Amino acid sequence: MPYEVSSSPVAPQTGSRLWTVGASAGIAIVVLIGAAVLQPAAAGWLFGAAVLVGLATWMIHRRPKVETGLVDAAEAAEPPSDRAMLDNVFEALADPVLVVSGGEADDIAGRRIVLANTAARDLLRIQTEGALLVPVLRDPAVLEAVDEALFGGLTRTTDYGGVGAQTRHWRALTRPLPSSDDRTLALLVLRDETDVRRMEMMRVDFLANASHELKTPLASLSGFIETLKGHARDDPKARDKFLDIMATQADRMSRLVADLLSLSRIELNEHIPPAGRVDLARAAADVVDAVSVLSADRGVAVHLQDRGSSAPVSGDRDEILQVVQNLVDNAIKYSPAGGAVEIVIRPDITLDEASAPWSGGNRGEGATRLPLVTPDRETGQRYAAVAVRDHGPGLAREHLPRLTERFYRVEGQKSGERQGTGLGLAIVKHIVNRHRGGLTVESAPGHGAVFTAYFPVAVPRNTTVA
């Protein structure tokens, strides 16, 4: 590829070449004439040489620029036409843009997409032109706004919830266009406002959740402080007891705030897929090593099958570690002393295989399997799954749909017996959703529970050197 050399600010311009060559020729002519004056015997041929130098200089600079090859490439190239430039600008727009034709006013199925730029085709998975609008945009408010632009000549702005498993917030702008070929046309522009909405929701949710969940430990701390300042001031036994409870409540508040901040940060970037590469099997092995002290304290054995296997997935390592960590922590927390937690890695499987029922032993009679997060189905996409099973009390089927809600606790389980903030599975859900993966739960009362998280398999690295 040729390098593009920029002109130096001190280099002579093309128009100054005549002056440079002319000055050199003039000096040569003056020297020749001076020599002819000093040497009269050779004056004839010296004057002739001076004349030849002058004629040669004149002949060189009378030729056109095209013959000398000094034409600038930018000057020789023809500028693009206005139509081609408009097409390039239309395709380069970051916002999805559609031009819709109306057809008959009473035939809503006749709305067709005349033009769509690259961003619109990628978002809505359509062709350049000719696609029906109704199957693509199924939002009644947006379709009504398009009709008002087509047949009412009105400009409107509406909200559009987007398509796919990831929640997106779009602002749809519709505007009538001049008709052509006896067709009514309208312009539809989608503007992504996901980041703005998520930041607003994050602030509101954080304040609401923090104020609600922190009231109990704060009230407890205030009560114990008043007690210690009162009649328990001189009671060492009561003081130590109250200080231990206060330390536990303070630790709970610290974990609660940390989990809320982590959840808010994940939700803020949930619509942006990660671009890293992680070995799911290695991440699970690291988690098993990290929880070894906790599992030993609780008397629960953690078994990882095929510890030396490999399962590369696309994702963020810290977030995938957090998914496995939360699932394993929950399994240890709900396992009885002397019980076991089983972790199974399944590399390179299909979507149907990833969401299939647990096949590792007895699942219990009447076990219910429920998908908590389901990715968009893409042809040829493969997944790697991590399944975590405990042998605890299990869950009734009516509780399964609400497991990923914030602060949801199953009735009959005392929160004081198991430390937690109620945000672990909510964090897992949003991380899995960000990675375009899936999450399923399978459980039956008295037979434990199985949580399976699966992620898209990473594209193999290109080992060839160009």
mmCIF file of all heavy atoms in Angstrom, residues 329-375:
data_model
loop_
_atom_site.group_PDB
_atom_site.id
_atom_site.type_symbol
_atom_site.label_atom_id
_atom_site.label_comp_id
_atom_site.label_asym_id
_atom_site.label_seq_id
_atom_site.Cartn_x
_atom_site.Cartn_y
_atom_site.Cartn_z
ATOM 1 N N ASP A 329 -22.075 -20.283 46.202
ATOM 2 C CA ASP A 329 -22.369 -19.795 47.558
ATOM 3 C C ASP A 329 -23.787 -20.170 47.984
ATOM 4 O O ASP A 329 -24.014 -20.604 49.128
ATOM 5 C CB ASP A 329 -22.194 -18.275 47.616
ATOM 6 C CG ASP A 329 -20.730 -17.872 47.691
ATOM 7 O OD1 ASP A 329 -19.889 -18.746 47.955
ATOM 8 O OD2 ASP A 329 -20.429 -16.684 47.472
ATOM 9 N N ASN A 330 -24.742 -19.994 47.084
ATOM 10 C CA ASN A 330 -26.124 -20.374 47.406
ATOM 11 C C ASN A 330 -26.240 -21.873 47.669
ATOM 12 O O ASN A 330 -26.950 -22.305 48.584
ATOM 13 C CB ASN A 330 -27.055 -19.973 46.258
ATOM 14 C CG ASN A 330 -27.506 -18.526 46.353
ATOM 15 O OD1 ASN A 330 -27.219 -17.846 47.332
ATOM 16 N ND2 ASN A 330 -28.195 -18.060 45.328
ATOM 17 N N ALA A 331 -25.548 -22.666 46.833
ATOM 18 C CA ALA A 331 -25.627 -24.117 47.015
ATOM 19 C C ALA A 331 -25.032 -24.539 48.358
ATOM 20 O O ALA A 331 -25.597 -25.396 49.058
ATOM 21 C CB ALA A 331 -24.887 -24.817 45.872
ATOM 22 N N ILE A 332 -23.912 -23.941 48.749
ATOM 23 C CA ILE A 332 -23.317 -24.257 50.058
ATOM 24 C C ILE A 332 -24.220 -23.787 51.186
ATOM 25 O O ILE A 332 -24.405 -24.474 52.200
ATOM 26 C CB ILE A 332 -21.920 -23.617 50.163
ATOM 27 C CG1 ILE A 332 -20.968 -24.231 49.143
ATOM 28 C CG2 ILE A 332 -21.359 -23.762 51.568
ATOM 29 C CD1 ILE A 332 -19.599 -23.582 49.097
ATOM 30 N N LYS A 333 -24.812 -22.622 51.010
ATOM 31 C CA LYS A 333 -25.646 -22.034 52.052
ATOM 32 C C LYS A 333 -26.869 -22.902 52.359
ATOM 33 O O LYS A 333 -27.280 -23.037 53.522
ATOM 34 C CB LYS A 333 -26.083 -20.636 51.589
ATOM 35 C CG LYS A 333 -26.800 -19.812 52.636
ATOM 36 C CD LYS A 333 -27.312 -18.514 52.017
ATOM 37 C CE LYS A 333 -26.236 -17.786 51.276
ATOM 38 N NZ LYS A 333 -26.754 -16.528 50.653
ATOM 39 N N TYR A 334 -27.439 -23.524 51.329
ATOM 40 C CA TYR A 334 -28.663 -24.292 51.514
ATOM 41 C C TYR A 334 -28.408 -25.795 51.620
ATOM 42 O O TYR A 334 -29.355 -26.578 51.638
ATOM 43 C CB TYR A 334 -29.641 -24.014 50.373
ATOM 44 C CG TYR A 334 -30.241 -22.641 50.448
ATOM 45 C CD1 TYR A 334 -29.714 -21.594 49.698
ATOM 46 C CD2 TYR A 334 -31.316 -22.379 51.284
ATOM 47 C CE1 TYR A 334 -30.255 -20.330 49.776
ATOM 48 C CE2 TYR A 334 -31.862 -21.107 51.372
ATOM 49 C CZ TYR A 334 -31.322 -20.085 50.618
ATOM 50 O OH TYR A 334 -31.850 -18.813 50.712
ATOM 51 N N SER A 335 -27.144 -26.210 51.644
ATOM 52 C CA SER A 335 -26.830 -27.638 51.797
ATOM 53 C C SER A 335 -26.686 -27.969 53.275
ATOM 54 O O SER A 335 -26.125 -27.186 54.046
ATOM 55 C CB SER A 335 -25.530 -27.976 51.057
ATOM 56 O OG SER A 335 -25.690 -27.833 49.669
ATOM 57 N N PRO A 336 -27.166 -29.117 53.686
ATOM 58 C CA PRO A 336 -27.008 -29.519 55.098
ATOM 59 C C PRO A 336 -25.573 -29.935 55.380
ATOM 60 O O PRO A 336 -24.794 -30.240 54.467
ATOM 61 C CB PRO A 336 -27.970 -30.701 55.224
ATOM 62 C CG PRO A 336 -28.025 -31.281 53.843
ATOM 63 C CD PRO A 336 -27.903 -30.120 52.894
ATOM 64 N N ALA A 337 -25.205 -29.910 56.653
ATOM 65 C CA ALA A 337 -23.867 -30.353 57.052
ATOM 66 C C ALA A 337 -23.671 -31.802 56.630
ATOM 67 O O ALA A 337 -24.544 -32.653 56.812
ATOM 68 C CB ALA A 337 -23.700 -30.195 58.555
ATOM 69 N N GLY A 338 -22.510 -32.069 56.037
ATOM 70 C CA GLY A 338 -22.236 -33.402 55.523
ATOM 71 C C GLY A 338 -22.733 -33.611 54.107
ATOM 72 O O GLY A 338 -22.536 -34.698 53.545
ATOM 73 N N GLY A 339 -23.371 -32.615 53.522
ATOM 74 C CA GLY A 339 -23.880 -32.730 52.163
ATOM 75 C C GLY A 339 -22.800 -32.431 51.129
ATOM 76 O O GLY A 339 -21.618 -32.268 51.447
ATOM 77 N N ALA A 340 -23.218 -32.379 49.875
ATOM 78 C CA ALA A 340 -22.268 -32.164 48.775
ATOM 79 C C ALA A 340 -22.889 -31.244 47.738
ATOM 80 O O ALA A 340 -24.116 -31.212 47.561
ATOM 81 C CB ALA A 340 -21.867 -33.495 48.135
ATOM 82 N N VAL A 341 -22.036 -30.483 47.069
ATOM 83 C CA VAL A 341 -22.423 -29.615 45.951
ATOM 84 C C VAL A 341 -21.696 -30.119 44.717
ATOM 85 O O VAL A 341 -20.468 -30.311 44.737
ATOM 86 C CB VAL A 341 -22.069 -28.143 46.230
ATOM 87 C CG1 VAL A 341 -22.300 -27.289 44.994
ATOM 88 C CG2 VAL A 341 -22.878 -27.606 47.405
ATOM 89 N N GLU A 342 -22.435 -30.322 43.640
ATOM 90 C CA GLU A 342 -21.864 -30.840 42.401
ATOM 91 C C GLU A 342 -21.842 -29.740 41.346
ATOM 92 O O GLU A 342 -22.835 -29.045 41.134
ATOM 93 C CB GLU A 342 -22.685 -32.026 41.889
ATOM 94 C CG GLU A 342 -22.815 -33.158 42.895
ATOM 95 C CD GLU A 342 -23.858 -34.174 42.473
ATOM 96 O OE1 GLU A 342 -24.153 -34.242 41.257
ATOM 97 O OE2 GLU A 342 -24.395 -34.864 43.346
ATOM 98 N N ILE A 343 -20.689 -29.607 40.687
ATOM 99 C CA ILE A 343 -20.511 -28.624 39.610
ATOM 100 C C ILE A 343 -20.111 -29.381 38.357
ATOM 101 O O ILE A 343 -19.129 -30.132 38.361
ATOM 102 C CB ILE A 343 -19.442 -27.578 39.970
ATOM 103 C CG1 ILE A 343 -19.766 -26.906 41.301
ATOM 104 C CG2 ILE A 343 -19.319 -26.533 38.864
ATOM 105 C CD1 ILE A 343 -18.685 -25.952 41.777
ATOM 106 N N VAL A 344 -20.860 -29.156 37.282
ATOM 107 C CA VAL A 344 -20.617 -29.852 36.024
ATOM 108 C C VAL A 344 -20.443 -28.813 34.919
ATOM 109 O O VAL A 344 -21.268 -27.891 34.783
ATOM 110 C CB VAL A 344 -21.771 -30.808 35.672
ATOM 111 C CG1 VAL A 344 -21.515 -31.495 34.333
ATOM 112 C CG2 VAL A 344 -21.955 -31.851 36.772
ATOM 113 N N ILE A 345 -19.378 -28.956 34.127
ATOM 114 C CA ILE A 345 -19.114 -28.083 32.982
ATOM 115 C C ILE A 345 -19.444 -28.852 31.707
ATOM 116 O O ILE A 345 -18.965 -29.982 31.515
ATOM 117 C CB ILE A 345 -17.648 -27.621 32.949
ATOM 118 C CG1 ILE A 345 -17.270 -26.928 34.256
ATOM 119 C CG2 ILE A 345 -17.408 -26.681 31.763
ATOM 120 C CD1 ILE A 345 -18.028 -25.660 34.528
ATOM 121 N N ARG A 346 -20.254 -28.242 30.848
ATOM 122 C CA ARG A 346 -20.635 -28.876 29.573
ATOM 123 C C ARG A 346 -20.214 -27.963 28.429
ATOM 124 O O ARG A 346 -20.875 -26.970 28.130
ATOM 125 C CB ARG A 346 -22.137 -29.134 29.533
ATOM 126 C CG ARG A 346 -22.649 -29.984 30.688
ATOM 127 C CD ARG A 346 -24.164 -30.013 30.715
ATOM 128 N NE ARG A 346 -24.722 -30.619 29.520
ATOM 129 C CZ ARG A 346 -25.991 -30.501 29.150
ATOM 130 N NH1 ARG A 346 -26.825 -29.780 29.901
ATOM 131 N NH2 ARG A 346 -26.431 -31.088 28.064
ATOM 132 N N PRO A 347 -19.091 -28.236 27.771
ATOM 133 C CA PRO A 347 -18.612 -27.365 26.685
ATOM 134 C C PRO A 347 -19.257 -27.697 25.347
ATOM 135 O O PRO A 347 -19.619 -28.853 25.084
ATOM 136 C CB PRO A 347 -17.107 -27.651 26.652
ATOM 137 C CG PRO A 347 -16.999 -29.060 27.127
ATOM 138 C CD PRO A 347 -18.133 -29.289 28.101
ATOM 139 N N ASP A 348 -19.412 -26.667 24.530
ATOM 140 C CA ASP A 348 -19.811 -26.823 23.125
ATOM 141 C C ASP A 348 -21.094 -27.639 22.963
ATOM 142 O O ASP A 348 -21.093 -28.766 22.457
ATOM 143 C CB ASP A 348 -18.680 -27.469 22.326
ATOM 144 C CG ASP A 348 -18.882 -27.297 20.819
ATOM 145 O OD1 ASP A 348 -19.648 -26.401 20.425
ATOM 146 O OD2 ASP A 348 -18.266 -28.052 20.048
ATOM 147 N N ILE A 349 -22.218 -27.040 23.395
ATOM 148 C CA ILE A 349 -23.523 -27.679 23.261
ATOM 149 C C ILE A 349 -24.473 -26.709 22.585
ATOM 150 O O ILE A 349 -24.202 -25.505 22.476
ATOM 151 C CB ILE A 349 -24.088 -28.105 24.637
ATOM 152 C CG1 ILE A 349 -24.155 -26.891 25.582
ATOM 153 C CG2 ILE A 349 -23.246 -29.209 25.251
ATOM 154 C CD1 ILE A 349 -24.738 -27.204 26.943
ATOM 155 N N THR A 350 -25.606 -27.211 22.122
ATOM 156 C CA THR A 350 -26.606 -26.371 21.477
ATOM 157 C C THR A 350 -27.477 -25.690 22.534
ATOM 158 O O THR A 350 -27.398 -25.994 23.724
ATOM 159 C CB THR A 350 -27.484 -27.206 20.544
ATOM 160 O OG1 THR A 350 -28.226 -28.165 21.329
ATOM 161 C CG2 THR A 350 -26.638 -27.942 19.507
ATOM 162 N N LEU A 351 -28.334 -24.781 22.073
ATOM 163 C CA LEU A 351 -29.231 -24.085 22.989
ATOM 164 C C LEU A 351 -30.215 -25.051 23.628
ATOM 165 O O LEU A 351 -30.499 -24.961 24.836
ATOM 166 C CB LEU A 351 -29.987 -22.975 22.236
ATOM 167 C CG LEU A 351 -31.005 -22.171 23.045
ATOM 168 C CD1 LEU A 351 -30.338 -21.488 24.231
ATOM 169 C CD2 LEU A 351 -31.702 -21.145 22.161
ATOM 170 N N ASP A 352 -30.726 -26.001 22.857
ATOM 171 C CA ASP A 352 -31.661 -26.981 23.418
ATOM 172 C C ASP A 352 -30.979 -27.877 24.443
ATOM 173 O O ASP A 352 -31.570 -28.227 25.468
ATOM 174 C CB ASP A 352 -32.260 -27.834 22.295
ATOM 175 C CG ASP A 352 -33.145 -27.015 21.367
ATOM 176 O OD1 ASP A 352 -33.691 -25.995 21.821
ATOM 177 O OD2 ASP A 352 -33.271 -27.393 20.185
ATOM 178 N N GLU A 353 -29.742 -28.241 24.192
ATOM 179 C CA GLU A 353 -29.009 -29.066 25.160
ATOM 180 C C GLU A 353 -28.679 -28.277 26.425
ATOM 181 O O GLU A 353 -28.686 -28.826 27.532
ATOM 182 C CB GLU A 353 -27.718 -29.584 24.522
ATOM 183 C CG GLU A 353 -27.943 -30.606 23.413
ATOM 184 C CD GLU A 353 -26.663 -30.958 22.686
ATOM 185 O OE1 GLU A 353 -25.706 -30.157 22.754
ATOM 186 O OE2 GLU A 353 -26.604 -32.031 22.059
ATOM 187 N N ALA A 354 -28.386 -26.982 26.260
ATOM 188 C CA ALA A 354 -28.043 -26.156 27.422
ATOM 189 C C ALA A 354 -29.221 -26.000 28.367
ATOM 190 O O ALA A 354 -29.046 -25.944 29.593
ATOM 191 C CB ALA A 354 -27.544 -24.785 26.962
ATOM 192 N N SER A 355 -30.431 -25.915 27.828
ATOM 193 C CA SER A 355 -31.621 -25.727 28.660
ATOM 194 C C SER A 355 -32.344 -27.042 28.955
ATOM 195 O O SER A 355 -33.464 -27.020 29.460
ATOM 196 C CB SER A 355 -32.582 -24.760 27.960
ATOM 197 O OG SER A 355 -32.929 -25.228 26.662
ATOM 198 N N ALA A 356 -31.698 -28.178 28.632
ATOM 199 C CA ALA A 356 -32.324 -29.479 28.874
ATOM 200 C C ALA A 356 -32.316 -29.809 30.359
ATOM 201 O O ALA A 356 -31.543 -29.240 31.143
ATOM 202 C CB ALA A 356 -31.593 -30.570 28.083
ATOM 203 N N PRO A 357 -33.178 -30.737 30.818
ATOM 204 C CA PRO A 357 -33.209 -31.117 32.237
ATOM 205 C C PRO A 357 -31.890 -31.708 32.705
ATOM 206 O O PRO A 357 -31.099 -32.241 31.924
ATOM 207 C CB PRO A 357 -34.344 -32.153 32.297
ATOM 208 C CG PRO A 357 -35.185 -31.886 31.094
ATOM 209 C CD PRO A 357 -34.244 -31.403 30.032
ATOM 210 N N TRP A 358 -31.652 -31.594 33.999
ATOM 211 C CA TRP A 358 -30.445 -32.141 34.625
ATOM 212 C C TRP A 358 -30.410 -33.653 34.453
ATOM 213 O O TRP A 358 -31.394 -34.344 34.685
ATOM 214 C CB TRP A 358 -30.443 -31.767 36.106
ATOM 215 C CG TRP A 358 -29.424 -32.471 36.940
ATOM 216 C CD1 TRP A 358 -29.602 -33.602 37.677
ATOM 217 C CD2 TRP A 358 -28.066 -32.090 37.144
ATOM 218 N NE1 TRP A 358 -28.447 -33.956 38.330
ATOM 219 C CE2 TRP A 358 -27.476 -33.042 38.019
ATOM 220 C CE3 TRP A 358 -27.280 -31.040 36.673
ATOM 221 C CZ2 TRP A 358 -26.151 -32.957 38.430
ATOM 222 C CZ3 TRP A 358 -25.958 -30.968 37.081
ATOM 223 C CH2 TRP A 358 -25.412 -31.910 37.951
ATOM 224 N N SER A 359 -29.252 -34.135 34.040
ATOM 225 C CA SER A 359 -29.123 -35.573 33.789
ATOM 226 C C SER A 359 -28.148 -36.238 34.753
ATOM 227 O O SER A 359 -27.807 -37.398 34.573
ATOM 228 C CB SER A 359 -28.631 -35.814 32.352
ATOM 229 O OG SER A 359 -27.385 -35.152 32.131
ATOM 230 N N GLY A 360 -27.691 -35.516 35.776
ATOM 231 C CA GLY A 360 -26.702 -36.078 36.690
ATOM 232 C C GLY A 360 -27.333 -36.729 37.898
ATOM 233 O O GLY A 360 -27.273 -36.198 39.006
ATOM 234 N N GLY A 361 -28.002 -37.840 37.770
ATOM 235 C CA GLY A 361 -28.553 -38.557 38.910
ATOM 236 C C GLY A 361 -30.018 -38.241 39.134
ATOM 237 O O GLY A 361 -30.688 -37.603 38.332
ATOM 238 N N ASN A 362 -30.521 -38.657 40.290
ATOM 239 C CA ASN A 362 -31.936 -38.509 40.637
ATOM 240 C C ASN A 362 -32.286 -37.056 40.889
ATOM 241 O O ASN A 362 -31.671 -36.377 41.693
ATOM 242 C CB ASN A 362 -32.248 -39.349 41.887
ATOM 243 C CG ASN A 362 -33.717 -39.272 42.250
ATOM 244 O OD1 ASN A 362 -34.555 -38.970 41.395
ATOM 245 N ND2 ASN A 362 -34.029 -39.567 43.498
ATOM 246 N N ARG A 363 -33.289 -36.561 40.184
ATOM 247 C CA ARG A 363 -33.720 -35.181 40.345
ATOM 248 C C ARG A 363 -34.931 -35.078 41.254
ATOM 249 O O ARG A 363 -35.358 -33.976 41.578
ATOM 250 C CB ARG A 363 -34.071 -34.571 38.977
ATOM 251 C CG ARG A 363 -32.884 -34.471 38.042
ATOM 252 C CD ARG A 363 -33.290 -33.840 36.716
ATOM 253 N NE ARG A 363 -34.150 -34.731 35.953
ATOM 254 C CZ ARG A 363 -35.405 -34.463 35.632
ATOM 255 N NH1 ARG A 363 -35.981 -33.356 36.067
ATOM 256 N NH2 ARG A 363 -36.108 -35.314 34.906
ATOM 257 N N GLY A 364 -35.495 -36.173 41.670
ATOM 258 C CA GLY A 364 -36.667 -36.109 42.534
ATOM 259 C C GLY A 364 -37.950 -36.166 41.745
ATOM 260 O O GLY A 364 -38.032 -35.772 40.582
ATOM 261 N N GLU A 365 -38.978 -36.690 42.382
ATOM 262 C CA GLU A 365 -40.284 -36.783 41.735
ATOM 263 C C GLU A 365 -40.920 -35.390 41.652
ATOM 264 O O GLU A 365 -40.885 -34.606 42.590
ATOM 265 C CB GLU A 365 -41.180 -37.719 42.545
ATOM 266 C CG GLU A 365 -40.694 -39.159 42.586
ATOM 267 C CD GLU A 365 -40.696 -39.801 41.217
ATOM 268 O OE1 GLU A 365 -41.520 -39.375 40.383
ATOM 269 O OE2 GLU A 365 -39.889 -40.715 40.977
ATOM 270 N N GLY A 366 -41.510 -35.125 40.519
ATOM 271 C CA GLY A 366 -42.208 -33.863 40.329
ATOM 272 C C GLY A 366 -41.304 -32.657 40.224
ATOM 273 O O GLY A 366 -41.722 -31.539 40.555
ATOM 274 N N ALA A 367 -40.051 -32.841 39.783
ATOM 275 C CA ALA A 367 -39.131 -31.715 39.628
ATOM 276 C C ALA A 367 -39.630 -30.782 38.525
ATOM 277 O O ALA A 367 -40.100 -31.225 37.473
ATOM 278 C CB ALA A 367 -37.728 -32.224 39.309
ATOM 279 N N THR A 368 -39.526 -29.497 38.784
ATOM 280 C CA THR A 368 -39.970 -28.480 37.830
ATOM 281 C C THR A 368 -38.760 -27.751 37.277
ATOM 282 O O THR A 368 -37.880 -27.321 38.034
ATOM 283 C CB THR A 368 -40.906 -27.467 38.505
ATOM 284 O OG1 THR A 368 -42.021 -28.157 39.056
ATOM 285 C CG2 THR A 368 -41.392 -26.440 37.502
ATOM 286 N N ARG A 369 -38.714 -27.628 35.967
ATOM 287 C CA ARG A 369 -37.627 -26.901 35.301
ATOM 288 C C ARG A 369 -38.202 -25.632 34.687
ATOM 289 O O ARG A 369 -39.227 -25.651 34.006
ATOM 290 C CB ARG A 369 -36.978 -27.756 34.216
ATOM 291 C CG ARG A 369 -35.846 -27.064 33.462
ATOM 292 C CD ARG A 369 -35.171 -28.029 32.494
ATOM 293 N NE ARG A 369 -36.131 -28.571 31.545
ATOM 294 C CZ ARG A 369 -36.427 -28.003 30.373
ATOM 295 N NH1 ARG A 369 -35.834 -26.887 30.008
ATOM 296 N NH2 ARG A 369 -37.293 -28.567 29.561
ATOM 297 N N LEU A 370 -37.516 -24.492 34.924
ATOM 298 C CA LEU A 370 -38.024 -23.204 34.452
ATOM 299 C C LEU A 370 -36.869 -22.354 33.935
ATOM 300 O O LEU A 370 -35.860 -22.190 34.629
ATOM 301 C CB LEU A 370 -38.738 -22.461 35.585
ATOM 302 C CG LEU A 370 -39.353 -21.103 35.214
ATOM 303 C CD1 LEU A 370 -40.565 -21.303 34.310
ATOM 304 C CD2 LEU A 370 -39.744 -20.337 36.470
ATOM 305 N N PRO A 371 -36.972 -21.814 32.713
ATOM 306 C CA PRO A 371 -35.938 -20.875 32.237
ATOM 307 C C PRO A 371 -36.144 -19.502 32.874
ATOM 308 O O PRO A 371 -37.241 -18.932 32.810
ATOM 309 C CB PRO A 371 -36.170 -20.840 30.722
ATOM 310 C CG PRO A 371 -37.606 -21.214 30.535
ATOM 311 C CD PRO A 371 -37.961 -22.143 31.667
ATOM 312 N N LEU A 372 -35.119 -18.976 33.503
ATOM 313 C CA LEU A 372 -35.169 -17.639 34.100
ATOM 314 C C LEU A 372 -34.646 -16.568 33.152
ATOM 315 O O LEU A 372 -35.066 -15.414 33.220
ATOM 316 C CB LEU A 372 -34.354 -17.619 35.401
ATOM 317 C CG LEU A 372 -34.806 -18.620 36.475
ATOM 318 C CD1 LEU A 372 -33.869 -18.563 37.666
ATOM 319 C CD2 LEU A 372 -36.242 -18.346 36.895
ATOM 320 N N VAL A 373 -33.710 -16.936 32.280
ATOM 321 C CA VAL A 373 -33.197 -16.045 31.228
ATOM 322 C C VAL A 373 -33.047 -16.885 29.975
ATOM 323 O O VAL A 373 -32.449 -17.972 30.014
ATOM 324 C CB VAL A 373 -31.844 -15.411 31.608
ATOM 325 C CG1 VAL A 373 -31.332 -14.534 30.462
ATOM 326 C CG2 VAL A 373 -31.955 -14.596 32.882
ATOM 327 N N THR A 374 -33.592 -16.402 28.864
ATOM 328 C CA THR A 374 -33.512 -17.126 27.592
ATOM 329 C C THR A 374 -32.904 -16.207 26.537
ATOM 330 O O THR A 374 -33.418 -15.115 26.300
ATOM 331 C CB THR A 374 -34.901 -17.586 27.125
ATOM 332 O OG1 THR A 374 -35.501 -18.392 28.144
ATOM 333 C CG2 THR A 374 -34.792 -18.393 25.840
ATOM 334 N N PRO A 375 -31.802 -16.603 25.893
ATOM 335 C CA PRO A 375 -31.193 -15.744 24.870
ATOM 336 C C PRO A 375 -31.948 -15.799 23.560
ATOM 337 O O PRO A 375 -32.783 -16.689 23.334
ATOM 338 C CB PRO A 375 -29.779 -16.336 24.724
ATOM 339 C CG PRO A 375 -29.986 -17.790 25.028
ATOM 340 C CD PRO A 375 -31.058 -17.847 26.090
#
